[in-house]
């Protein structure tokens, strides 16, 4: 990949203004957000369990919990569960709550923050996207990119009102890292800050969560290969320096000294820190040696493989990933049911409409970016980087569909440039049909992929329904439980985070892989007989047994105590106190 010494020539297309396109994208965002905004602001009704848990962490921080203290003490009380999230996301959300609270009160301040925070981040994403796309491809592709961004399902999801978890921040940082790699290099002797900014963004992204780790690795590989081929050390050197400094500095900022040697595999801890700092310093040192081409390749390969081998030897327990130690029951009855952790084919079978609407446009964008990398010499470098990120996201989604979220942050770059290229082709010769190009362009949008499901339904061959209404109704009923004095609640793990957010109660289980004991206890209670459920309540101190009937299918077929209760069975030690959609029993005999 040859780095240009100046911005590449712009791709022509329809003459519209970039500010107008950003305004259109924000208008579309606002129209989409208006449906859920009243519930988010007025009732702090959040879209996802991770959002609820983030808000619980923010409340704890504002209540005086220490910066380094990430234990959620209302899960599996009294020991609690150490969370694997970052205070770096809690802090700005807490600041907004504090800003609004003196005027609105705490409850409304939380609702306003839950609505405003994703909107601010979406504005930041659009600004970064517009700046990057204009620099790479020109104003017209940038204009088209920001409009496409408003229509990407995954982006609509992560920036929706109430989404206060870290995925929106990760989308922005992932785009920043890939833009830093694709950015045209400055002329010799001129300042080139892209490498430092990209490395710094990569370090911040790792401090917040590890979802972007494969894409950061891709960025490092691309820059290393470019240095091997071209010999210009600036971008690789600066990226390495930025990555090493930011990851080490943020590790110290967010990790207590007592945890510096804890070899956790799911956060920025010694295993990932060794990769990031070791890889970054290796990049700085290698580029300082001014090696000839053949030696550059040999040295890069040797150092890279040696670093991976050293990390694997020092932390072999991390090689299988953070979920490797989960017991079989937790894999079967919890992890395999987590929507974002499903493999692509499983998700496609269970949730065809949303899966096709997410992965289909990514596939179209990857194909178009690959084709344009082959045809467009001027912008080849940028298209290769974007195409590589899209193909990586699709490949990773075959293991877990959550990878489409990071890839979707990059997808509008390819879409904007591709649509501008198509416009140029059609304008040159409107009389000549270009069906393949038009089909590929339309395939950038989700409705083209989901339309066949509608046609199949019209002919009586409906796809499996994606019913989210019943679980949502259960979650909205949870606030009713706050009428009881604070206690411990035994409920399905998927209700755990919302119970923590909307009540004062503690919970036996919440849907997080570090909460192994609580998850196992919940599964034992909901899959077992009366004695198993009673034993769990005694052991955990739970006095409320809460059932959302929709979740019972998670625990497989066959008779269980929970199913018997839902069917009307009575036992002397439980008293039924509430009806549908959320079924509640109170312990009357320990």
């Amino acid at each position: 990949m040859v780095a240009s010494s100046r911005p590449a020539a712009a791709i022509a297309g329809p003459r519209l203004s970039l500010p107008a396109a950003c305004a259109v994208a924000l208008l579309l965002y606002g129209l989409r957000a208006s449906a859920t905004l009243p519930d988010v602001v007025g009732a702090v009704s959040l879209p996802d369990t991770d959002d609820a848990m983030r808000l619980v962490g923010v409340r704890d921080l504002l209540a005086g919990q220490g910066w380094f203290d990430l234990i959620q003490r209302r899960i599996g009380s009294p020991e609690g569960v150490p969370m694997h999230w970052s205070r770096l996301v809690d802090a700005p959300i807490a600041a907004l709550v504090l800003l609004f609270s003196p005027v609105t009160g705490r409850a409304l301040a939380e609702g306003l923050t839950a609505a405003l925070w994703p909107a601010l981040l979406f504005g930041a994403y659009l600004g970064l996207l517009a700046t990057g796309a204009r620099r790479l491809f020109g104003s017209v592709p940038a204009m088209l990119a920001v409009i496409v961004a408003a229509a990407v399902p995954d982006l609509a999801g992560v920036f929706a009102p109430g989404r206060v978890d870290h995925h929106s921040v990760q989308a922005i940082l992932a785009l920043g890292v890939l833009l830093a790699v694709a950015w045209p290099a400055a002329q010799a002797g001129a300042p080139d800050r892209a490498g430092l900014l990209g490395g710094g963004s990569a370090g911040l992204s790792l401090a917040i969560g590890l979802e972007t780790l494969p894409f950061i690795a891709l960025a490092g590989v691309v820059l290393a290969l470019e240095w091997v081929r071209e010999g210009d050390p600036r971008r690789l050197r600066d990226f390495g320096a930025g990555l090493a400094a930011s990851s080490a500095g943020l590790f110290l900022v967010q990790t207590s000294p007592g945890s510096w040697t804890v070899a956790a595999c799911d956060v920025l801890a010694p295993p990932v820190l060794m990769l990031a700092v070791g890889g970054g310093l290796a990049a700085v040192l290698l580029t300082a040696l001014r090696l000839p081409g053949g030696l550059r390749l040999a040295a890069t390969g040797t150092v890279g493989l040696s670093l991976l081998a050293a990390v694997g030897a020092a932390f072999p327990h991390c090689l299988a990933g953070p979920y490797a130690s989960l017991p079989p029951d937790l894999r079967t009855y919890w992890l395999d049911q987590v929507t974002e952790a499903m493999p692509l084919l499983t998700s496609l079978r269970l949730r065809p409409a949303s899966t096709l609407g997410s992965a289909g446009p990514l596939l179209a964008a990857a194909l178009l970016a690959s084709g344009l990398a082959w045809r467009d010499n001027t912008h080849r470098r940028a298209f290769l980087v974007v195409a590589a990120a899209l193909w990586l996201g699709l490949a990773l989604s075959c293991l877990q569909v959550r990878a489409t979220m990071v890839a979707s942050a990059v997808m509008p770059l390819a879409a904007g440039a591709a649509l501008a290229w198509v416009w140029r082709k059609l304008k040159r010769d409107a009389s000549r049909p270009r069906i393949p190009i038009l089909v590929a362009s339309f395939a950038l949008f989700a409705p083209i992929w989901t339309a066949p499901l509608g046609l199949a339904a019209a002919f009586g061959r409906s796809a499996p329904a994606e019913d989210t209404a019943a679980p949502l109704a259960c979650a909205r009923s949870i606030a009713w439980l706050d009428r009881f004095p604070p206690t411990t609640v035994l409920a399905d793990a998927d209700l755990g985070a919302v119970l923590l957010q909307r009540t004062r109660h503690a919970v036996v289980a919440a849907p997080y892989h570090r909460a192994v004991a609580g998850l196992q206890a919940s599964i034992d209670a909901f899959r077992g007989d009366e004695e198993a459920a009673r034993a769990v309540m005694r052991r955990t101190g739970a006095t409320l047994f809460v059932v959302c009937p929709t979740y019972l299918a998670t625990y497989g077929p066959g008779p269980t105590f929970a199913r018997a209760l839902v069917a009307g069975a009575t036992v002397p030690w439980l008293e039924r106190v509430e009806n549908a959609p959320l079924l509640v029993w109170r312990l009357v005999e320990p």
Side-chain angles (χ1 to χ4, degrees):
M1 285 174 283
V2 180
S4 172
S5 61
R6 57 183 180 278
I11 298 177
R15 303 293 296 175
L16 295 176
S17 74
L18 187 54
C22 290
V24 170
L26 290 172
L27 176 62
L28 293 174
Y29 173 84
L31 291 173
R32 189 191 295 266
S34 62
T36 59
L37 204 57
D39 282 344
V40 172
V41 175
V44 200
S45 179
L46 306 180
D48 190 83
T49 56
D50 284 354
D51 304 310
M53 185 55 70
R54 175 67 66 188
L55 183 57
V56 170
V58 168
R59 288 173 178 172
D60 290 343
L61 180 63
L62 291 174
Q65 188 174 25
W67 176 265
F68 296 126
D69 183 2
L70 295 177
I71 295 177
Q72 180 44 248
R73 289 174 174 80
R74 289 198 290 149
I75 303 176
S77 298
E79 296 84 3
V81 172
M83 297 299 291
H84 59 291
W85 289 354
S86 172
R87 289 290 196 202
L88 298 174
V89 179
D90 290 346
I93 298 172
L96 285 175
V97 173
L98 286 178
L99 177 65
F100 291 131
S101 290
V103 178
T104 65
R106 177 58 63 87
L108 184 55
E110 289 180 352
L112 290 171
T113 297
L116 181 60
W117 177 244
L120 291 174
L121 290 178
F122 184 66
Y125 172 82
L126 286 182
L128 180 62
L129 176 66
T131 301
R134 180 173 58 186
R135 176 70 183 271
L136 292 177
F137 304 117
S139 295
V140 171
M143 176 269 296
L144 293 170
V146 297
I147 293 177
V148 168
V152 176
D154 277 2
L155 294 180
V158 299
F159 291 110
R163 294 308 308 263
V164 293
D165 68 2
H166 60 285
H167 292 144
S168 51
V169 180
Q170 291 290 58
I172 296 172
L173 293 172
L175 176 63
V177 171
L178 271 298
L179 281 175
V181 177
W183 209 267
Q187 294 180 353
D192 185 352
R193 300 183 181 90
L196 282 173
L197 292 174
S201 297
L204 177 57
S205 183
L206 292 176
I208 290 172
L210 302 187
E211 297 94 332
T212 58
L213 179 58
F215 296 87
I216 293 170
L218 171 66
V221 169
V222 169
L223 291 177
L225 291 176
E226 187 173 64
W227 171 67
V228 167
R229 178 176 177 178
E230 303 300 324
D232 186 345
R234 291 176 299 166
R235 188 66 57 87
L236 177 61
R237 177 197 63 208
D238 293 349
F239 184 89
L243 174 61
S246 61
S247 56
L250 291 170
F251 170 78
L252 298 177
V253 165
Q254 71 175 15
T255 310
S256 66
S259 299
W260 285 355
T261 58
V262 176
C265 307
D266 54 357
V267 292
L268 181 60
V272 175
L273 189 67
M274 184 175 175
L275 273 177
V277 175
L281 293 179
V284 173
L285 294 175
L286 282 174
T287 53
L289 296 178
R290 302 186 180 277
L291 300 171
L295 286 179
R296 288 198 296 268
L297 178 60
T300 300
T302 300
V303 170
L305 292 176
S306 298
L307 178 61
L308 292 175
V311 173
F315 309 105
H317 62 289
C318 289
L319 295 178
Y323 305 129
S325 61
L326 288 179
D329 273 2
L330 268 64
R331 289 182 172 275
T332 302
Y333 300 108
W334 172 65
L335 184 61
D336 290 349
Q337 314 296 326
V338 176
T339 300
E340 65 179 23
M342 291 178 179
L344 180 64
L345 292 180
T346 302
S347 182
L348 188 61
R349 176 172 54 85
L350 298 177
R351 306 165 55 248
S354 55
T355 306
L356 281 173
S358 175
L362 287 180
L363 176 60
L367 290 170
L368 284 167
S370 301
L372 289 172
W374 177 58
R375 297 178 63 94
D376 189 339
N377 293 330
T378 305
H379 305 90
R380 176 166 293 160
R381 181 178 187 275
F383 281 127
L384 283 173
V385 172
V386 173
L390 293 172
W391 286 119
L392 177 61
L394 286 168
L396 293 173
S397 73
C398 294
L399 302 175
Q400 290 191 347
V401 291
R402 75 178 79 199
T404 61
M405 181 275 295
V406 179
S408 292
V410 183
M411 179 265 194
L413 279 176
L419 290 173
W421 184 82
V422 169
W423 174 273
R424 184 183 64 188
K425 290 292 183 184
L426 294 175
K427 188 177 180 181
R428 283 182 179 177
D429 188 1
S431 63
R432 181 182 175 187
R434 299 178 181 272
I435 302 301
I437 294 176
L438 290 175
V439 169
S441 300
F442 287 131
L444 292 167
F445 299 95
I448 297 301
W449 294 88
T450 57
L453 298 177
L455 292 175
F459 287 96
R461 300 180 64 87
S462 299
E466 300 178 28
D467 181 20
T468 58
L472 184 60
C474 286
R476 287 176 172 171
S477 303
I478 280 176
W480 180 89
L481 294 173
D482 216 25
R483 66 181 63 186
F484 296 101
T487 185
T488 299
V489 178
L490 174 58
D492 184 276
D494 279 347
L495 292 175
V498 186
L499 274 160
L500 295 179
Q501 180 218 337
R502 301 183 74 84
T503 75
R504 296 163 295 162
H505 302 309
V507 298
V508 172
Y512 300 100
H513 66 274
R514 289 189 173 189
V516 173
L519 286 167
Q520 187 66 63
S522 176
I523 291 170
D524 290 343
F526 279 89
R527 289 196 67 236
D529 58 14
E530 179 181 345
E531 284 307 310
R534 192 172 190 179
V536 169
M537 294 191 74
R538 283 174 175 167
R539 187 171 70 250
T540 60
T543 64
L544 292 178
F545 187 64
V546 176
V547 179
C548 180
T550 305
Y551 289 130
L552 293 181
T554 301
Y555 301 100
T560 65
F561 177 59
R563 287 193 175 98
L565 286 179
V566 171
T570 60
V571 293
W573 54 280
L574 287 178
E575 174 191 15
R576 187 162 176 169
V577 293
E578 179 61 354
N579 247 323
L582 198 66
L583 309 182
V584 182
W585 288 263
R586 180 171 52 190
L587 183 69
V588 292
E589 294 181 18

